[in-house]
Amino acid sequence: MPDFAEFSHFWVYLSASPLLGLTMTLCAYLAAQRIFVLCKASPLANPVAIAVALVVAVLWLTGMSYERYFAGAQFVHFLLGPATVALAVPLVRQLPRLRRAALPLGAALLAGSVTAIVSAVVVALLLGATPELAYTLGPKSATSPIAMAVSERLGGIPALTAALVIGTGIFGAVFGRYVFMLLGIRSDAACGFALGLASHGIGTARAFQVSAEMGAFAGLAMGLNGALTALLAPWLVPLVMAWMS
């Protein structure tokens, strides 16, 4: 049996240290990954969604502020950069195929990026959203750092944009497979590119769980869509809003 007194001393030390946020994040993800395995890798048991829910539950139950939590969790956040750069490894392995499919991939990228931006703004305005919220929603399909920067430049709410980006990624990772099945799309390259474009990093992580090929195309789409969104959104979102007004 574990010694409760020793655990209490450990908890007192951990709760006063920035390591608490880091420990909480890692434990939540390990638990979520275990649930994912027990559910036989079902997309409905997405590890990111489960881990987010676990962390939110702990913060709510303990009354811990987000700032205190992030003091430790920032170490994981820092690793997002190297992890994104590491996506270049599977891309290089698929380089010959990527070159052969450059034209259709370029067309899909442009169509997907424009559709993601325009549809988000149009639907938001039709539902009565304020201009500020429409600016916040516009870049939701780009990866978080780019989406937040674009949102701030447009006059949106970067923090809310980050939450919407995560929600978009989780939604795509969970339901993307069923959409592909419904449409009869079986190509790993096509599915991966669509997931990376619409659901950025979380969709890309899901794609790698299926196959290296799907993950490589998802990583390519995530990177290209981030760059294209940064170029298109600042003038496309105001244009759509002017057209809708």
Side-chain angles (χ1 to χ4, degrees), residues 174-191:
V174 171
F175 296 105
R177 173 185 176 183
Y178 302 108
V179 173
F180 298 143
M181 290 173 59
L182 183 65
L183 297 176
I185 302 173
R186 295 181 175 84
S187 166
D188 278 359
C191 292

Side-chain angles (χ1 to χ4, degrees), residues 103-170:
L103 184 60
L105 289 178
L109 172 67
L110 181 61
S113 186
V114 171
T115 300
I117 296 170
V118 172
S119 62
V121 175
V122 169
V123 170
L125 292 176
L126 288 176
L127 293 177
T130 62
E132 185 181 37
L133 184 56
Y135 290 139
T136 301
L137 277 165
K140 65 171 178 53
S141 288
T143 189
S144 295
I146 295 176
M148 293 174 69
V150 172
S151 174
E152 184 175 15
R153 179 178 176 183
L154 287 171
I157 308 170
L160 181 56
T161 298
L164 292 169
V165 167
I166 294 172
T168 300
I170 291 175

Side-chain angles (χ1 to χ4, degrees), residues 5-203:
E6 289 186 4
F7 176 77
S8 297
H9 289 311
F10 174 73
W11 175 255
V12 170
Y13 165 76
L14 190 61
S15 62
S17 167
L19 290 175
L20 179 60
L22 176 62
T23 304
M24 188 188 305
T25 303
L26 295 177
C27 289
Y29 188 78
L30 288 174
Q33 186 66 25
R34 180 60 179 166
I35 295 171
F36 179 68
V37 172
L38 291 175
C39 293
K40 299 180 180 179
S42 169
L44 294 176
N46 184 266
V48 176
I50 295 173
V52 168
L54 290 174
V55 171
V56 169
V58 172
L59 295 181
W60 180 68
L61 289 172
T62 61
M64 184 187 301
S65 67
Y66 176 77
E67 290 74 18
R68 183 181 172 192
Y69 160 74
F70 191 70
Q74 63 179 324
F75 300 111
V76 177
H77 185 266
F78 169 77
L79 293 175
L80 285 174
T84 303
V85 173
L87 292 173
V89 176
L91 283 177
V92 170
R93 293 172 181 168
Q94 298 289 336
L95 196 56
R97 188 172 180 186
L98 293 175
R99 287 173 176 168
R100 291 194 298 270
L103 184 60
L105 289 178
L109 172 67
L110 181 61
S113 186
V114 171
T115 300
I117 296 170
V118 172
S119 62
V121 175
V122 169
V123 170
L125 292 176
L126 288 176
L127 293 177
T130 62
E132 185 181 37
L133 184 56
Y135 290 139
T136 301
L137 277 165
K140 65 171 178 53
S141 288
T143 189
S144 295
I146 295 176
M148 293 174 69
V150 172
S151 174
E152 184 175 15
R153 179 178 176 183
L154 287 171
I157 308 170
L160 181 56
T161 298
L164 292 169
V165 167
I166 294 172
T168 300
I170 291 175
F171 186 88
V174 171
F175 296 105
R177 173 185 176 183
Y178 302 108
V179 173
F180 298 143
M181 290 173 59
L182 183 65
L183 297 176
I185 302 173
R186 295 181 175 84
S187 166
D188 278 359
C191 292
F193 198 82
L195 269 180
L197 196 156
S199 305
H200 42 81
I202 299 176

